[in-house]
Amino acid sequence: MKGIKKSLTEEYLYLDFSHQIEGCIFPLHTSVTLFLLSYCDCKIFKVCLVLTREVSQWTRLCELTIPSAIENFLKESSDQHPAIPAEILQLEEKLREPVRVHNDDKLRRQKLKQQQAAGAAPPLAKEKTESKVHRRETSEELDSSSKSLELKVAFSKLTVQEEPATTNREPPHIRKAKASDLPPLEHVFAEGLYFTLADIVLLPCIHHFLLIICKKLSEKLVEFPLLSAWYQRIQEVPRVKTAASQCGIHFLRLPELLTTSNEQHPNLNEVPGTEEQNDPSFIGGPRPTMTKLMEKGIEVMFSPHPCPTWTLDWNSLPAAVSPKEGKMSCDRALRKQQQLNNLVYLVTNQAKPGDRIVDFCSGGGHVGIVLAYMLPSCQITLIENKELSLIRAKKRSDELGLSNVWFIQANMEYFTGMFNIGVALHACGVATDMVIELCIKTRASFVTCPCCYGFIQNTSKFNFPKSEQFKKILSHKEHMILCRFADQTAVQLPPQRRLVGKQCMCLVDLDRARAAEERGYCVQVISMEPESCSPKNNVIVGVPI
């Protein structure tokens, strides 16, 4: 065509530069940007970075507050002995805390199995009175055996080639172990187990911080054993050393510092929150809280399922539509099909030709791909922040020849498009609330299946309880008790305990439903059929009035 140049126009990126001190370019965010660009120029290993989430105060600390504090520290260090930034002390303390991730129960059981195989298993409940002296004697052995699991999980996320899915079940004594007997997960990277954007941002900052510490305040280095361990561990990430050297970052050799993180982990399942301990008026446990709601007329009650026996004819569908094509066991694939039966029916029952449907937290596209195939006259958008998951979904879409699917790699809060129906299967913690909020803002219907109730917490966007009705009855702490017990629905738990967990799930989701009703929605909380398809089997369905 005339008027079109054959060569592509070169693009430029301009960065701020004010001055340079001992290899550190100011402003510090320019150093961070240069390192990020160098690291991302990568062919062998995939870039696995998570975008900043405004709802995470921890991510904000790593990616915004600490770089600013380090820049001030570096400026002060040029002519005096600067004070250690409080944010660095906060980071050291955070690295000491156990890691909480999705499916951490499964990982902790794997860790217990690994420790027992190495002869370094943590004591069981009846042995917990052993002396601290004995625990110190075994801490090094525990550390070497446990780190290998966390490191294996962490580095498996960085390779382009996916590891084959393991379908072997854990031995019975591991599956039946109490949650209180499971070892905590150790921090590998800043956000926990996975290498994220926070590590990229922190590396130039921490490097220049440690340079000053080693040169002018060497006696202070012993105060940062976990930060030093993180600094050394991040050098093992593929491409990091190469990228760093290209930016003028030459890593320090730090002495090995004694860490006592294993001894200082509070048990995740036994220690109540400090707020609960300090509040004499707090009503603890799920049953008193449930009774308190019942006395005000709020009971555990589900709306009837509109079509409990409806199912897709999976045998007649192309293979790429079925989750059996994914990397999961046959049993899990069957349960996933049952989950999809519920969501697909509820969405297709509302959808009209021309509707835009968004599958939030889409993962590999189990929900979105089925909807796109079943609703060819609708436009389906999959939103997911993990590149590899979207690559899998795109591959399935291409195999099916779908032309009504769009893929967006981003955190959902950055999505600003208009749509008619929002759907999410097992959106973790407050991600479910974010989906509902996005739907309400655009007056879209929503079909959401919540997950990870134990991760629900107050954020910059949400406070719990959410509804005015629940706020008049429950305190935040009482609502958090419901959330904590709502996660206790795993199949290995006793039936009565699972029943209480299911009831708490219902109450947490009723609060979400009431909050949406207060904003002009008709909302139902439905239980999936069959309930055995997932321990997290609630569905919240909302339609604008």
Side-chain angles (χ1 to χ4, degrees):
M1 293 178 65
K2 293 183 179 180
I4 301 295
K5 294 183 179 180
K6 293 183 179 180
S7 60
L8 295 175
T9 303
E10 292 187 15
E11 295 183 356
Y12 298 90
L13 175 65
Y14 295 94
L15 300 175
D16 290 341
F17 176 81
S18 61
H19 62 286
Q20 187 168 348
I21 300 177
E22 297 182 350
C24 180
I25 296 174
F26 285 85
L28 192 54
H29 64 71
T30 295
S31 291
V32 171
T33 303
L34 290 172
F35 178 64
L36 173 62
L37 292 172
S38 180
Y39 174 77
C40 290
D41 183 19
C42 178
K43 302 296 187 292
I44 301 176
F45 296 91
K46 71 183 177 72
V47 180
C48 179
L49 302 177
V50 178
L51 300 175
T52 304
R53 286 193 172 186
E54 295 180 7
V55 297
S56 171
Q57 295 178 348
W58 168 237
T59 306
R60 182 181 293 274
L61 171 72
C62 291
E63 299 181 13
L64 297 175
T65 311
I66 287 180
S68 177
I70 294 294
E71 182 157 1
N72 292 332
F73 173 82
L74 295 175
K75 290 176 181 178
E76 294 174 4
S77 67
S78 59
D79 54 6
Q80 58 180 313
H81 290 289
I84 302 296
E87 293 81 0
I88 291 293
L89 299 174
Q90 188 178 351
L91 176 60
E92 177 72 19
E93 284 304 308
K94 191 70 178 181
L95 292 174
R96 197 179 303 278
E97 297 177 4
V99 172
R100 296 295 301 271
V101 296
H102 178 59
N103 277 345
D104 66 348
D105 181 85
K106 179 179 179 181
L107 291 173
R108 291 167 66 199
R109 291 182 191 280
Q110 292 176 5
K111 182 172 178 178
L112 177 62
K113 178 183 176 182
Q114 183 185 77
Q115 289 180 348
Q116 290 186 348
L124 297 177
K126 62 183 179 181
E127 301 168 346
K128 286 184 179 177
T129 56
E130 291 184 29
S131 68
K132 292 184 179 179
V133 174
H134 176 73
R135 276 182 282 174
R136 278 196 294 269
E137 291 172 352
T138 60
S139 63
E140 185 176 345
E141 186 177 7
L142 277 167
D143 186 65
S144 62
S145 65
S146 64
K147 284 295 183 187
S148 59
L149 173 71
E150 281 92 338
L151 285 172
K152 180 180 178 182
V153 171
F155 282 98
S156 69
K157 297 289 184 180
L158 292 171
T159 57
V160 173
Q161 299 296 327
E162 297 183 70
E163 295 185 357
T166 56
T167 58
N168 296 331
R169 298 188 71 187
E170 303 294 349
H173 72 282
I174 298 293
R175 295 199 309 271
K176 295 177 181 178
K178 296 180 180 179
S180 58
D181 290 334
L182 300 179
L185 298 176
E186 305 281 348
H187 270 268
V188 178
F189 297 114
E191 295 273 10
L193 296 186
Y194 307 127
F195 184 66
T196 68
L197 182 61
D199 296 281
I200 291 287
V201 174
L202 282 174
L203 180 57
C205 304
I206 299 305
H207 171 73
H208 292 296
F209 168 77
L210 291 174
L211 272 176
I212 300 301
I213 291 295
C214 291
K215 183 176 293 187
K216 298 185 177 182
L217 301 166
S218 57
E219 71 281 359
K220 295 285 187 180
L221 186 61
V222 294
E223 298 179 14
F224 307 103
L226 299 178
L227 189 60
S228 299
W230 169 86
Y231 176 77
Q232 293 169 318
R233 189 178 304 115
I234 202 171
Q235 299 174 42
E236 302 173 32
V237 175
R239 277 280 305 174
V240 161
K241 282 188 175 180
T242 302
S245 64
Q246 292 172 351
C247 301
I249 296 176
H250 303 290
F251 287 111
L252 300 166
R253 282 195 172 188
L254 300 178
E256 290 192 12
L257 303 175
L258 178 64
T259 64
T260 56
S261 58
N262 283 328
E263 295 181 38
Q264 298 189 24
H265 283 146
N267 189 285
L268 297 177
N269 302 89
E270 291 181 340
V271 180
T274 55
E275 288 183 338
E276 297 170 16
Q277 290 176 313
N278 297 333
D279 186 353
S281 64
F282 172 69
I283 301 177
R287 294 191 185 278
T289 305
M290 293 163 68
T291 300
K292 193 174 180 181
L293 288 168
M294 192 181 304
E295 291 173 348
K296 298 295 183 178
I298 301 176
E299 298 187 28
V300 174
M301 186 174 297
F302 291 93
S303 299
H305 197 294
C307 195
T309 60
W310 187 88
T311 178
L312 286 161
D313 186 2
W314 292 101
N315 292 328
S316 67
L317 295 176
V321 175
S322 173
K324 287 186 176 180
E325 290 299 295
K327 295 171 55 178
M328 59 178 69
S329 66
C330 292
D331 287 345
R332 187 181 171 198
L334 175 61
R335 293 195 298 273
K336 186 64 68 176
Q337 286 181 342
Q338 293 169 339
Q339 297 164 25
L340 293 175
N341 288 337
N342 288 268
L343 267 66
V344 170
Y345 176 83
L346 292 168
V347 173
T348 55
N349 204 37
Q350 296 187 44
K352 303 180 296 296
D355 274 355
R356 295 184 178 94
I357 302 172
V358 179
D359 179 11
F360 294 99
C361 308
S362 66
H366 292 311
V367 177
I369 296 298
V370 178
L371 290 175
Y373 186 83
M374 299 296 297
L375 299 169
S377 62
C378 294
Q379 177 183 307
I380 314 298
T381 301
L382 277 63
I383 298 180
E384 169 61 43
N385 65 7
K386 296 179 182 176
E387 179 186 16
L388 193 56
S389 296
L390 280 183
I391 289 174
R392 281 198 223 107
K394 180 67 165 58
K395 181 180 178 182
R396 293 172 64 187
S397 173
D398 291 344
E399 288 178 12
L400 294 166
L402 299 175
S403 59
N404 61 333
V405 186
W406 294 75
F407 304 88
I408 298 177
Q409 183 184 358
N411 283 337
M412 73 176 83
E413 61 263 39
Y414 298 113
F415 178 71
T416 57
M418 298 300 295
F419 58 100
N420 305 100
I421 302 175
V423 59
L425 175 59
H426 290 153
C428 183
V430 295
T432 289
D433 303 281
M434 294 168 68
V435 171
I436 294 174
E437 181 65 21
L438 284 170
C439 292
I440 291 176
K441 284 183 177 180
T442 57
R443 301 305 292 172
S445 299
F446 55 83
V447 178
T448 65
C449 174
C451 189
C452 303
Y453 292 78
F455 286 135
I456 292 174
Q457 59 182 325
N458 282 348
T459 70
S460 59
K461 295 184 177 181
F462 306 108
N463 290 309
F464 296 88
K466 295 179 67 178
S467 68
E468 293 302 320
Q469 183 182 23
F470 272 65
K471 286 178 182 178
K472 293 176 181 177
I473 304 171
L474 298 184
S475 67
H476 168 69
K477 299 166 191 176
E478 289 166 332
H479 189 273
M480 290 300 101
I481 282 289
L482 292 178
C483 294
R484 185 193 305 175
F485 280 88
D487 255 355
Q488 300 189 17
T489 54
V491 293
Q492 63 264 33
L493 294 174
Q496 186 59 34
R497 191 170 174 184
R498 293 203 306 270
L499 176 60
V500 173
K502 175 69 172 175
Q503 293 171 338
C504 290
M505 280 172 52
C506 179
L507 292 171
V508 173
D509 290 336
L510 283 176
D511 174 51
R512 288 164 158 161
R514 298 289 186 271
E517 289 172 351
E518 292 167 0
R519 298 172 70 180
Y521 272 70
C522 176
V523 189
Q524 293 180 310
V525 179
I526 300 169
S527 190
M528 285 185 177
E529 292 290 346
E531 288 191 4
S532 59
C533 68
S534 172
K536 299 296 181 286
N537 49 31
N538 284 3
V539 183
I540 309 173
V541 183
V543 180
I545 299 175

